[in-house]
Amino acid sequence: MGGQNQVIKLRWGSDAEGLKFEGAKPGVKFALGENVKQSNWGEDATSRYPQTRMGVEEIMRDTFAAAREYEADRDGAKGSGAPFRRDLRLEAAGEILRGDRIVHIHSYRQDEIFMFARLAKELGFTVGTFQHILEGYKVADELAAIGAGGSSFSDWWAYKFEVYDAIPYNGPLMHRAGVVVSFNSDDNELATRLNTEAAKAVKYGGLRDEEALKFVTLNPAKQLRIDARVGSLEPGKDADLVLWSAHPLSSFARAEQTWIDGRRYFSAEEDRQLRESNAQERERLIAKALPERIKALKKKGDQAGEDKDDAGDKKPGLWRRLGLANPAAASLTECPDALLGPYHDGRSAHTCTSGCCGR
């Protein structure tokens, strides 16, 4: 039972308070399976308690029972005026039982998913999402019955023993059983391309484009209980949107503009202009600094004397250090394919690989 979480919007440049999604229901991260018990992580992995899946369930039950007792004692202390020691962890567990905080739980196997679904039904708390849930297709009816969402990887499998039964049809199968499904990724690169992850629900499962796109737009908003404000383009909702250069499920699509709360945070055209401006400024600074660098290297080369190249021909040590064929080719900008590193050590001053300049 991990830390409390705050829903955010990626308002670039804002401080921590500015990133918060105002009014979003708070959550908490739970976890099941091998990541928790770690009993198969080797002989040195003995610090976790409990080290069985059954023990994990009992720890959760004990915590919720303790939270109820805590709240009863707290309410009694308020009535009598007696001192009472505050426990923030049990207060968060109490918020879960009252429905003021929703659970997002890391899970893989059908047995542990089914266990937690029964626990949620028994204690009456809300599960926003079973995350990863790679065997969710086996217990999709049970997830739909308690109103839990499934936030799955699109097609990861077999990266550890727990996920050997993962299939790429998991998302579409849960969707057809009535589960609100989204796709996520633990990978920092794939997480920037969730539009093409959503496209896999078209390939594996035959979903319509609109339904597949909901896996990374409206459905995650429903799972976080913020779909009244975001997740789709409708009157009255926040103006959070992306303008694509092509169909958003296409691997050829590029984000042309990104808007959050009606403010443009990214423009591909503006980004191109800034890149060009930065490149020009870089070249200007290199041109300004390079003469002094050449003087310093030449002085050092003169002090070291002449050396010989592999063919036995003599040439000044400076030009060998700069990677130039001869002193006459001293211009570092005459080759259009030259890439000049601003902090080069003399060896990487000219990195032409096309052979257009004969060097």
Side-chain angles (χ1 to χ4, degrees), residues 307-322:
D307 60 0
K308 292 185 177 182
D309 60 16
D310 293 338
D313 298 328
K314 291 184 178 181
K315 61 180 179 180
L318 168 64
W319 310 114
R320 180 182 178 86
R321 288 166 59 81
L322 287 177

Side-chain angles (χ1 to χ4, degrees), residues 336-349:
D337 292 329
L339 301 174
L340 310 178
Y343 304 112
H344 64 78
D345 59 1
R347 298 181 182 276
S348 60

Side-chain angles (χ1 to χ4, degrees), residues 27-335:
V28 62
K29 176 66 180 289
F30 280 20
L32 301 171
E34 198 61 45
N35 281 23
V36 182
K37 63 188 187 68
Q38 298 184 2
S39 58
N40 296 313
W41 286 25
E43 295 181 357
D44 295 333
T46 58
S47 61
R48 286 297 181 97
Y49 176 83
Q51 286 206 299
T52 66
R53 295 176 194 270
M54 293 180 292
V56 170
E57 177 183 0
E58 288 308 309
I59 285 289
M60 292 178 175
R61 283 185 177 277
D62 289 348
T63 300
F64 286 126
R68 283 179 169 163
E69 293 178 3
Y70 169 85
E71 292 193 332
D73 293 343
R74 181 190 60 193
D75 294 342
K78 285 181 180 178
S80 64
F84 182 78
R85 183 174 182 178
R86 191 178 182 191
D87 188 317
L88 297 178
R89 183 171 183 270
L90 292 180
E91 286 190 5
E95 291 173 352
I96 294 170
L97 292 173
R98 294 194 305 272
D100 296 331
R101 185 177 294 277
I102 57 179
V103 174
H104 303 282
I105 184 161
H106 161 113
S107 56
Y108 287 116
R109 287 181 13 179
Q110 63 169 335
D111 53 348
E112 63 188 16
I113 296 167
F114 193 60
M115 173 277 293
F116 195 77
R118 287 185 299 181
L119 182 64
K121 186 185 298 185
E122 176 186 335
L123 299 180
F125 61 81
T126 302
V127 182
T129 57
F130 283 87
Q131 297 174 340
H132 312 334
I133 194 167
L134 296 181
E135 291 189 19
Y137 64 95
K138 298 181 180 181
V139 289
D141 291 344
E142 186 68 21
L143 301 181
I146 66 169
S151 186
S152 177
F153 297 146
S154 62
D155 58 356
W156 283 18
W157 71 284
Y159 51 91
K160 57 182 176 179
F161 190 77
E162 285 183 294
V163 299
Y164 271 27
D165 277 358
I167 59 174
Y169 300 90
N170 182 46
L173 286 173
M174 288 194 295
H175 167 75
R176 290 193 172 95
V179 179
V180 177
V181 177
S182 67
F183 278 165
N184 70 79
S185 179
D186 275 358
D187 181 82
N188 58 358
E189 193 274 335
L190 286 179
T192 67
R193 293 168 174 77
L194 288 179
N195 58 312
T196 52
E197 290 294 283
K200 295 174 183 178
V202 178
K203 177 177 176 59
Y204 301 107
L207 265 62
R208 293 185 297 110
D209 291 0
E210 294 81 0
E211 290 301 318
L213 190 58
K214 287 179 182 178
F215 279 21
V216 294
T217 54
L218 183 59
N219 288 2
K222 289 180 177 179
Q223 293 170 346
L224 292 171
R225 309 303 194 263
I226 55 175
D227 53 298
R229 287 182 51 187
V230 297
S232 60
L233 300 178
E234 299 177 54
K237 287 194 173 184
D238 298 358
D240 295 351
L241 56 101
V242 179
L243 301 180
W244 296 94
S245 62
H247 193 300
L249 298 185
S250 169
S251 59
F252 293 99
R254 297 292 181 268
E256 295 287 348
Q257 294 184 20
T258 302
W259 294 69
I260 301 175
D261 295 328
R263 173 186 170 188
R264 192 183 70 185
Y265 274 75
F266 172 78
S267 163
E269 176 59 26
E270 182 178 309
D271 182 69
R272 183 189 62 79
Q273 294 174 0
L274 289 173
R275 288 174 184 269
E276 291 179 355
S277 176
N278 290 343
Q280 292 173 3
E281 177 67 5
R282 177 176 176 272
E283 291 299 321
R284 186 187 70 81
L285 293 174
I286 289 174
K288 186 175 182 179
L290 197 56
E292 293 301 320
R293 175 65 171 162
I294 290 177
K295 287 181 182 178
L297 288 175
K298 187 176 186 304
K299 181 179 181 180
K300 188 174 182 179
D302 290 343
Q303 292 174 348
E306 294 184 341
D307 60 0
K308 292 185 177 182
D309 60 16
D310 293 338
D313 298 328
K314 291 184 178 181
K315 61 180 179 180
L318 168 64
W319 310 114
R320 180 182 178 86
R321 288 166 59 81
L322 287 177
L324 303 177
N326 55 66
S331 174
L332 298 178
T333 58
E334 65 186 33
C335 172

Side-chain angles (χ1 to χ4, degrees), residues 14-34:
S14 297
D15 59 12
E17 289 298 316
L19 293 177
K20 288 183 178 179
F21 193 113
E22 306 84 354
K25 181 168 284 191
V28 62
K29 176 66 180 289
F30 280 20
L32 301 171
E34 198 61 45

